[in-house]
Every structure is written in structure tokens, then in C-alpha cells.
Amino acid sequence: MDISWGNALVAGIFLVALSIIIHRIQDSQPQIDHARFDSAERSKVSLALAEALPESVFFGPHPVFVESIQSYWAVQERDIVPRCIVRPRNAEEVATAVGILKHEYDDCTRHGRVPSLLAVRSGGHSPIPGAANIDGGIVIDLQLLNKVVPSEDGSCVDIGTGARWLDVSTILDQRCLAVAGGRNSAVGVGGLTLGGGISFFSPRVGFVCNNILSYEIVLANGTIVTASETTNPGLWRALKGGSNNFGIVTRFVARSFPSTDVWSGFLYMTASKARQVIQAFHNYTQANAGIHDAYAAGPLVCFTFVQKLGVQVIATNLVYTKPEPWPACFAGFAAIGRLWSTVKVRSLTSATNELAMSSPAGLRQKFITTTVKNDHDTLIEIHAAYEKGAKVMRRVRHLIWTLVLQPLFPVIAKKSQPNVLGLDTRTEPLVIVLFTVVWKDTADDELVDRTTRGIIGDIDHYASSKGTADLYRYLNDCDYWQSPFDGYGADNKQFLQEISRQYDPDGLFQRACVGGFKLDMDDHA
């Protein structure tokens, strides 16, 4: 048998087996227990919402209520049952809901109580329990605010917060346009954008948030305002990485630009190639730090251990935002022997769908992250920590344990508009380190949490001792206990706190809105 065909066969068998394992985990999840969705006693605030918005408020076990809960990406979010779900059809209905919730919040705080009232959902793709759901509270589910409307001249796109990036690219592909948007088609527009957002186009145009021309946002007092460079400019800047701390964004206007097909896909390699891949990644990141190829995205280098198969594999995602195969900048990866490759010229939608398929819904999930300088020894130490994690968690049922490395070049932070991420002072390339975990049983939650926290602590300790640590944490990859705003720098964090006091003086979104990462403010009492 030809060696290349043999390698392709091995890779194909592995991918089929992995797909079967994932589907078996999904299928083995408990059947939907509709009894748990039976409405508990309806609260005063939920009844007020239902009276004001009778066609947009749903209680269990209404099919819309059940469908909303079961459509969260991570099982941990599906396990949470809210009091009711508000599915507003426009910004005015969001404003009505916020006004009612603010009245309830004010009443509670007058009596010395700080309630957990609401959660806000865009795509529901966070693995953190309670990120976009709330036990016994009110979920404002923005999924119906999903219109995608390009301008006639193609310079910008009006995008509803509840859209998925699949909705956006499907429409823009037809017009040979693109925006700086999500790399995973299943992710929601709202969460990714408010957390900063990294795109395939970031080397050309900067973070996703840097390309938002204006925001439509419902404030805590129930008013609908626009935030742009000329209208509420402080709020406009704060929303570029400030998460859900200032109100509920209902619509984004994003800058668009001409774009055709891209060249993208995965290179699959055996675990024995780890050192070569790390060296290629380090060389690429170092070489591209200065004058980089603005059309080259990533790469995303993924080291994965599949417990059910007892094997490890390396998958490297390469993207070039022109329809040009094998650009010279990726030569270091091309030189490494591989089992199989999916790289080809394709639409942007196809490229983002491929990443979405690598992380299907309906599983227990965890993200945890840190950031280091592009130091070869530090990268080797991080890989050793990944190997350690595989050993510690080897008995976790249906474990899929992945280390992802991706470069972060200083030039990206300086592209387009100002933000609050605090990266504009960096002068050397960084590496975003992400660990993802998939597993089956709640009984393993504590072990997974303890192990991942310990591994991040070990990496941070090593990097600090070697002088290769960096305080930046990519908000969208953070675990529940991490503090991404500390990594933005003291001045930016203080600025975010000031904007919160200005636009939400009573602290509705700091104290009563669960999910997201808060600004450590204690002066709303």
C-alpha cells in the first residue's frame, strides 16, 4: 500500500472513531426530563413580564422554553432551569423587560436584598454554568434578534445580537463580503464580540470588537441608545471588550470589506511530531511578529488526548484569507509529515463550519486559558503540562483533553479602533494558551476543575519564574474563576468601572445580572 494512502486511511479511521465516540456521549446523556421544566410558583416579576409581553414570555414546560434550554452548547448550562424565558422580538421588548427587572431590583435593594434576577443569552456557547442561564431567574434570550442586513454599498453590515456567525457568513458569502467575525460558525455574535473576539481576518483588521462601528444597547433604565465614535463614545469604547457590564446590546453595525474564498483546513499528525510542531509554531510566531503576512490566520495548533481510544493526535488549523493554497508563511508546517489533510480552497462558511464540527454541542465542556510570551522552552513546558493532565485525568470517562496554542501579534491590537484590551503596549508576540475538556459524568466535574486549575497555576508559575508570563487573558476562553479585566491593565479596568457608574449607576448589570465577568465594584450598595 502507498504510504500516503496508508496515512490517510489511519487518519480516516481515527476521525470516524472520534466522531462515533462523540455521538455516543451525546446519545448517552439522560433523556429530557420534562418534569423538571414544570413551572414552579411564578414570581411577581415573571408575572409582570408575562403581562407586559404575553407573546414573548415562556414558562416550562412550553415547547419554546424546553427548546431554549436544550439548545445551550454545554450540558452544564442545560442543567440550569430558569423561572421563565423572555424571547424579545425587537429592542423595544428588551427595553420593556429591562424596565420591569430594574423596578424589581430597586424594590429588592431598598429592602437590603441583592437579587440574582437575570441572565442574557446570545448564542449560549459558553461552557461556564450560569454564563447565559440562571437558576430560578429570568433569561433574556436574544435568538430572535438575528437579522443580518448588509448596506447597499457593502461598507457595513447590521447584525442582530442573537445571530450566529453562520447566519452572517452565509449572507455575506453571497455578496463576496466579509466582516471580522467568529471562526466557529455555531458561536453567537453577541458574546464573542463583547469579549473582544479573534477572527480569521484579525491579522488584517484587528479584533472583532475593533471593527464595530456602532452598538444599539438597552441601558439599565430601559432606554435604547446608540454607542458610536461620536455618540456616547466612552460607552462605545467600553463595549470593545467590556462584556455585558453596561446593558443589553441588541444590534451591532460592523465594518465589512470585499472577500472571496479562503484556503483552510486541518493537518493531522501523530503525537510523535509534537516537538517538530512546537518548533514550527514558535518559528512562525517569531518570524511573523514584525512584518507579517496579513492574510495568514492562526495557526491553531491542537494537541488532543482521546481517553476512549487511548491515543493522542495533533491537528493544526491553517487559514489563508485568499484563495491561494500553501502560502510561503506556512512552509514550516508543510514540511512536517502528516497523516492526512483537509486543506483546500473553500467559502468562509465552510471554513467556520469545519471548526464548529470539531466542538459539537450536548457535552460537558470546559475552557481555561493563560497567555505567555513566544518562548520555546515555555511552550515545551506547556506541552509537558498537557501530558501531565492526560495522565491525571486518564480515568475520566470519555475524556477529550486538548491543548490549543495560537499566536497573538502586537500589530493586531493596533488595528482599526481603540479598545480596552490593554494590548497596545505590547512589543513582542504572545501565545494564547487554551485547554479544552470534554467529558461525560458529573461525578468527574471536581477532578476536571481541580486538575485544570492546577495546570494553569503550574504554567503561570513557570512562566513568571522565566520572565515569559503575560497578564492578558482572552476573555472568551476564561474559566469562571479567572479575572480577565485584571489583564487589561489598571487604567482600562478603572475606565470600565467609571463607564459602569455612568450608565448603570445602581448596578443592575453588576449585581443582578449573572454571567460574564464583573468589574469588582463594591460601591453600588
Side-chain angles (χ1 to χ4, degrees):
M1 180 185 293
D2 181 87
I3 293 176
S4 62
W5 278 105
N7 287 344
L9 179 61
V10 171
I13 291 171
F14 171 82
L15 292 174
V16 169
L18 181 58
S19 177
I20 291 171
I21 288 169
I22 290 173
H23 282 95
R24 282 184 176 175
I25 298 173
Q26 292 170 318
D27 292 342
S28 66
Q29 295 295 335
Q31 295 298 309
I32 299 174
D33 178 12
H34 287 272
R36 77 187 183 99
F37 298 126
D38 287 343
S39 292
E41 181 181 351
R42 299 185 182 185
S43 63
K44 180 180 70 173
V45 68
S46 66
L47 290 171
L49 287 164
E51 182 179 358
L53 301 168
E55 296 182 6
S56 300
V57 176
F58 301 92
F59 297 89
H62 191 284
V64 171
F65 184 97
V66 175
E67 179 274 327
S68 179
I69 299 301
Q70 292 303 117
S71 65
Y72 283 98
W73 179 63
V75 166
Q76 298 100 307
E77 280 279 70
R78 298 183 185 187
D79 289 342
I80 299 170
V81 181
R83 182 85 60 179
C84 71
I85 292 173
V86 182
R87 269 200 176 172
R89 296 167 294 180
N90 49 53
E92 289 72 24
E93 289 195 351
V94 176
T96 297
V98 169
I100 292 169
L101 290 163
K102 178 61 163 59
H103 183 271
E104 175 70 9
Y105 173 74
D106 290 343
D107 186 54
C108 289
T109 54
R110 276 195 299 269
H111 292 86
R113 293 183 289 115
V114 180
S116 292
L117 274 179
L118 73 149
V120 182
R121 173 182 180 173
S122 170
H125 201 271
S126 172
I128 299 175
N133 199 354
I134 179 170
D135 187 23
I138 312 299
V139 172
I140 298 181
D141 182 348
L142 302 174
Q143 290 188 77
L144 296 183
L145 306 185
N146 58 6
K147 290 183 179 179
V148 179
V149 183
S151 64
E152 289 189 9
D153 65 0
S155 65
C156 62
V157 184
D158 199 309
I159 306 173
T161 302
R164 308 292 177 99
W165 289 108
L166 174 63
D167 303 321
V168 179
S169 64
T170 298
I171 289 175
L172 297 188
D173 279 349
Q174 298 170 9
R175 295 191 55 175
C176 295
L177 294 172
V179 296
R183 298 171 292 184
N184 179 327
S185 62
V187 169
V189 167
L192 180 118
T193 306
L194 293 174
I198 299 174
S199 168
F200 291 143
F201 297 101
S202 288
R204 285 167 57 187
V205 299
F207 285 93
V208 174
C209 66
N210 285 14
N211 291 271
I212 302 302
L213 302 176
S214 68
Y215 304 78
E216 179 183 76
I217 181 171
V218 177
L219 301 178
N221 62 9
T223 60
I224 304 170
V225 303
T226 295
S228 69
E229 192 170 14
T230 56
T231 304
N232 298 303
L235 179 60
W236 177 69
R237 180 178 165 229
L239 289 167
K240 297 178 181 296
S243 192
N244 66 349
N245 284 292
F246 315 102
I248 299 178
V249 174
T250 52
R251 186 164 57 87
F252 302 87
V253 177
R255 185 174 72 88
S256 55
F257 42 84
S259 180
T260 56
D261 286 344
V262 303
W263 177 83
S264 77
F266 281 94
L267 312 180
Y268 292 95
M269 307 168 187
T270 62
S272 63
K273 305 290 186 182
R275 293 235 167 197
Q276 289 176 260
V277 172
I278 290 171
Q279 186 67 61
F281 175 86
H282 174 263
N283 292 347
Y284 172 91
T285 303
Q286 206 61 35
N288 275 26
I291 303 173
H292 71 293
D293 188 329
Y295 291 89
L300 301 175
V301 175
C302 311
F303 304 88
T304 297
F305 169 65
V306 183
Q307 182 261 354
K308 189 72 172 177
L309 299 177
V311 299
Q312 297 189 34
V313 70
I314 302 169
T316 300
N317 182 252
L318 303 178
V319 178
Y320 199 70
T321 55
K322 284 183 179 180
E324 298 177 8
W326 286 112
C329 59
F330 292 141
F333 297 98
I336 303 172
R338 54 189 179 271
L339 295 170
W340 193 33
S341 165
T342 65
V343 291
K344 63 180 181 180
V345 173
R346 60 176 89 198
S347 67
L348 179 62
T349 297
S350 174
T352 59
N353 279 342
E354 185 175 33
L355 278 179
M357 288 190 299
S358 70
S359 57
L363 307 167
R364 303 193 79 75
Q365 307 268 5
K366 179 179 281 289
F367 293 166
I368 193 167
T369 189
T370 190
T371 305
V372 298
K373 295 177 182 177
N374 182 43
D375 173 71
H376 182 267
D377 290 346
T378 303
L379 298 180
I380 293 294
E381 186 70 17
I382 290 167
H383 184 265
Y386 152 77
E387 295 275 11
K388 176 183 175 183
K391 291 178 181 177
V392 172
M393 295 188 290
R394 67 188 181 279
R395 299 193 185 282
V396 172
R397 290 187 64 199
H398 299 295
L399 174 76
I400 302 175
W401 165 240
T402 300
L403 161 65
V404 184
L405 303 176
Q406 60 178 314
L408 180 58
F409 299 111
V411 66
I412 291 176
K414 299 176 175 66
K415 298 272 187 179
S416 300
Q417 308 149 354
N419 58 48
V420 293
L421 304 179
L423 290 166
D424 49 310
T425 60
R426 306 301 198 278
T427 58
E428 57 185 304
L430 302 176
V431 176
I432 295 177
V433 180
L434 167 66
F435 288 98
T436 73
V437 197
V438 173
W439 72 105
K440 180 179 184 295
D441 296 331
T442 57
D444 292 316
D445 289 3
E446 192 277 334
L447 174 60
V448 170
D449 188 63
R450 173 164 40 87
T451 302
T452 53
R453 290 185 71 155
I455 284 173
I456 288 294
D458 290 344
I459 291 170
D460 288 344
H461 177 76
Y462 176 89
S464 294
S465 68
K466 193 172 173 56
T468 57
D470 192 275
L471 291 177
Y472 177 72
R473 301 291 181 270
Y474 179 47
L475 185 147
N476 292 327
D477 288 345
C478 282
D479 202 2
Y480 69 93
W481 58 270
Q482 297 187 283
S483 303
F485 296 126
D486 289 345
Y488 288 11
D491 289 345
N492 282 325
K493 186 173 181 179
Q494 182 179 348
F495 169 75
L496 292 172
Q497 292 171 336
E498 290 170 355
I499 295 298
S500 173
R501 294 186 188 101
Q502 180 180 349
Y503 288 92
D504 182 15
D506 298 318
L508 174 68
F509 291 100
Q510 287 300 300
R511 306 174 76 201
C513 180
V514 304
F517 295 91
K518 302 308 176 185
L519 297 170
D520 301 329
M521 300 171 65
D522 56 7
D523 56 358
H524 283 305

